[in-house]
Amino acid sequence: MSTTLSPKEAESVRFPVPVLPIARYRFSFVAEDPVVFPAMAGSAWRGVLGHALKRTVCVTRAPVCAGCLLQYSCSYPYIFETPPPRASRKMRRYRTVPHPYILDTRGCDGQNIAPGQAVAIGLTLVGRGNQHLPYLIHALTRGAEHGIGRGRGRLVLAEVVQESMAGPSAPGARIYAPGEALSAAGPKTPDNLAMPLSGASLIFETPLRVKREGRFVAAEALAFADLFGSLLRRISMLMEFHGEAPLETDFAALMALARRVELGERQLHWKEEGRYSSRQKALMRIGGIVGVAVLPGDMPAALWPYVWLGQWVHAGHLTTMGFGGYRIAVTDTLDPQEYHGRRMSESP
């Protein structure tokens, strides 16, 4: 279909709903030593997971994965480097494609954990990434025992809970504890809540970094099309490389609809954090958009499944460290007390 669709033509197109099986896991640890987490703990946890996973599964001990005989069958490159498949028609010129995991370390950010205190992180796995869950549990267990944060404090795994995809009010199930057998359920596509007729609020809980014409979009300039374009690309690539089937839809028509949507009342600002880069041996400042923006009640229904699914897969850059995370609340106002009250039951 032409990329110059009129709004009326775009509305007449029938769009399939994206199908992307997902599972979310909560890892609970107990500190053996004092643990001092940096302000952006996602970077520290990603480093611990990556190093431990490579130690766990690498049998060739090759210094790099590129060119290794096992590059396309080993858990480490699939999870952490994710090269495009040999036969892929998409992103063939890219060294990596979107990774199938997302860390949620907000409970650790900037925290000082005392011995005996509990701490938890979340891990979301997309599609076939769930096949590697046993390796990831082992790697996180060993990596945490080896030490994390300033001073390399040690953590001991207590249990792993698989969260319900029905929302926070639904109980999760313990699927693993040391000495027990792993009993995880398969991933599933989150149920798509019907779009609220009165509109909804997007609550950006971790920094959103989206680009427009090669530059990161500032908080005051954020447009709905910036967010939706990022979600559409990300979800389609995750379905292509980690899902059951690629996304077959009219991308141009969806974007034509997205450009018509205007965000309503907003309370957005740019939040910047520092993280230490072991590769560059320096402290780096990284930021993004946080806060709240209202979706209009008359948003085209074809866009809603992507916005809803984005709560699980995040949007923008640095998603593996937990950036670009948001939740949806059906609210009538921007009263901050509402975000933490009973009306949050619809967010994942």
Side-chain angles (χ1 to χ4, degrees), residues 102-318:
I102 299 145
L103 288 166
D104 177 6
T105 63
R106 286 172 295 164
C108 303
D109 291 347
Q111 296 297 308
N112 295 339
I113 309 299
Q117 187 176 344
V119 64
I121 66 169
L123 174 68
T124 299
L125 293 178
V126 178
R128 289 188 296 277
N130 286 274
Q131 298 172 9
H132 303 262
L133 176 63
Y135 294 106
L136 292 167
I137 292 176
H138 180 84
L140 276 170
T141 301
R142 295 293 174 260
E145 289 174 348
H146 190 261
I148 187 172
R150 289 194 291 272
R152 309 300 297 179
R154 295 171 299 171
L155 299 170
V156 176
L157 180 69
E159 66 175 5
V160 181
V161 170
Q162 185 168 356
E163 298 181 357
S164 171
M165 302 303 287
S169 59
R174 187 167 88 172
I175 60 170
Y176 178 77
E180 298 179 0
L182 177 62
S183 58
K188 62 168 289 187
T189 300
D191 294 333
N192 183 37
L193 181 73
M195 187 176 73
L197 298 178
S198 61
S201 294
L202 297 172
I203 304 174
F204 298 100
E205 298 183 312
T206 59
L208 172 70
R209 294 165 58 84
V210 291
K211 284 186 175 182
R212 185 195 307 158
E213 298 178 351
R215 295 187 176 184
F216 286 109
V217 178
E220 63 274 12
L222 180 68
F224 176 78
D226 298 320
L227 172 66
F228 186 81
S230 174
L231 287 171
L232 182 59
R233 288 189 299 274
R234 177 161 171 76
I235 290 170
S236 67
M237 290 298 99
L238 289 173
M239 290 177 63
E240 174 77 21
F241 297 111
H242 308 295
E244 298 172 347
L247 177 64
E248 301 290 347
T249 192
D250 193 323
F251 292 83
L254 285 170
M255 284 306 303
L257 291 174
R259 283 189 283 270
R260 294 177 52 208
V261 176
E262 294 187 7
L263 294 173
E265 188 178 357
R266 59 176 70 193
Q267 294 178 357
L268 300 172
H269 66 276
W270 186 271
K271 180 181 180 182
E272 206 161 75
E273 300 281 6
R275 76 175 182 93
Y276 182 77
S277 171
S278 57
R279 180 177 299 178
Q280 301 186 33
K281 308 295 183 184
L283 183 67
M284 302 179 63
R285 302 294 296 181
I286 299 178
I289 300 168
V290 295
V292 186
V294 172
L295 285 173
D298 60 351
M299 183 180 76
L303 308 181
W304 177 254
Y306 297 89
V307 179
W308 182 253
L309 186 57
Q311 295 176 102
W312 283 266
V313 300
H314 295 206
H317 295 249
L318 301 180

Side-chain angles (χ1 to χ4, degrees), residues 84-92 97 240-241:
R86 291 189 180 97
S88 176
R89 293 177 296 172
K90 294 185 177 180
M91 297 187 74
R92 288 179 298 176
V97 300
E240 174 77 21
F241 297 111

